Amino acid sequence: SQTIHQWPATLVQPVGSPLSLECTVEGTSNPNLYWYRQAAGRGLQLLFYSVGIGQISSEVPQNLSASRPQDRQFILSSKKLLLSDSGFYLCAWSGHSTGELFFGEGSRLTVL
Amino acid sequence: GENVEQHPSTLSVQEGDSAVIKCTYSDSASNYFPWYKQELGKRPQLIIDIRSNVGEKKDQRIAVTLNKTAKHFSLHITETQPEDSAVYFCAASIGNSGYALNFGKGTSLLVTP
């Protein structure tokens, strides 16, 4: 069966520090991969998605970047965090024939 | 990205009543419209979805309707139960992106016994 893991689960970082959130999927090949941010009252905001290795699409201009160095690995990064980057980040995957998203456990980032 | 508007933001119903959540979208290329349920402290999970070639879909107590001309779709829950209490999100696919989705802001549904 397919599983998705993301880490770390919680992170407290100072303003200006770098960020790296990692997500891996097991049990499937060539998944679509996504990074979403969930803020209270704002729903799920799509940040990045990838349909294949090295293919990254960004939906929102921001202080973040994403990379897909391997087929089932998706990384969310920042060189210098801002206070506004605080939030709950969810990684997800879907197959190419169905649209169902399977979400990871989420990573709560607090920037101080 | 294109917007997905969702209403109401909160909804309280008595057990056994029906609940309706409505969404509108602006991307005319959207062709896939799922609904997700997120219970407190848990990940969002798909409960039902509909594609643009279908006007209505039903799964037991849950149904979704789609009006592509008006660009709106709705979730209907009948005979609500306390375990239906959760946050519900509608979403619309982004053009030809595959299955990247724009989500609404969510509806917090409370079903009281």
Side-chain angles (χ1 to χ4, degrees):
Chain A
S1 62
Q2 301 89 359
T3 58
I4 178 170
H5 300 287
Q6 65 176 103
W7 65 94
T10 59
L11 197 60
V12 180
Q13 292 286 101
V15 170
S17 64
L19 170 73
S20 180
L21 299 179
E22 189 165 343
C23 173
T24 60
V25 180
E26 298 178 357
T28 188
S29 60
N30 194 30
N32 294 326
L33 296 172
Y34 312 85
W35 278 110
Y36 281 90
R37 178 164 56 201
Q38 185 171 24
R42 296 191 62 185
L44 292 156
Q45 181 186 33
L46 179 63
L47 303 176
F48 301 94
Y49 67 93
S50 171
V51 299
I53 295 176
Q55 300 178 60
I56 309 293
S57 297
S58 174
E59 283 299 303
V60 182
Q62 58 211 321
N63 184 42
L64 302 169
S65 62
S67 61
R68 185 171 179 171
Q70 299 181 46
D71 181 43
R72 292 168 292 169
Q73 183 185 27
F74 207 25
I75 297 173
L76 184 67
S77 305
S78 174
K79 292 182 179 179
K80 289 185 177 182
L81 284 168
L82 306 172
L83 287 174
S84 57
D85 291 325
S86 293
F88 189 60
Y89 291 83
L90 284 161
C91 180
W93 75 272
S94 72
H96 288 272
S97 59
T98 71
E100 182 172 3
L101 291 179
F102 297 92
F103 288 91
E105 306 94 327
S107 299
R108 184 162 301 282
L109 170 66
T110 302
V111 182
L112 303 175
Chain B
E2 303 283 348
N3 288 333
V4 175
E5 300 290 333
Q6 181 172 348
H7 300 279
S9 57
T10 60
L11 180 60
S12 182
V13 300
Q14 285 198 318
E15 183 177 1
D17 289 349
S18 295
V20 180
I21 303 171
K22 299 182 179 181
C23 290
T24 60
Y25 62 98
S26 57
D27 185 353
S28 56
S30 295
N31 58 6
Y32 174 65
F33 307 90
W35 287 85
Y36 283 79
K37 175 183 180 182
Q38 187 175 28
E39 297 177 354
L40 190 63
K42 296 188 177 180
R43 322 173 201 192
Q45 289 192 308
L46 178 72
I47 54 171
I48 195 168
D49 57 12
I50 192 168
R51 299 182 186 275
S52 58
N53 58 345
V54 175
E56 184 174 0
K57 183 177 180 181
K58 190 173 183 180
D59 183 3
Q60 298 182 341
R61 297 187 295 109
I62 294 174
V64 58
T65 59
L66 171 65
N67 183 327
K68 278 222 75 176
T69 303
K71 293 184 184 172
H72 64 70
F73 55 114
S74 301
L75 178 71
H76 303 253
I77 306 174
T78 58
E79 300 173 29
T80 54
Q81 301 168 3
E83 50 265 39
D84 293 330
S85 298
V87 179
Y88 291 81
F89 294 97
C90 64
S93 59
I94 298 173
N96 297 318
S97 67
Y99 289 106
L101 301 171
N102 276 326
F103 281 83
K105 293 184 179 180
T107 296
S108 179
L109 172 65
L110 176 65
V111 180
T112 55

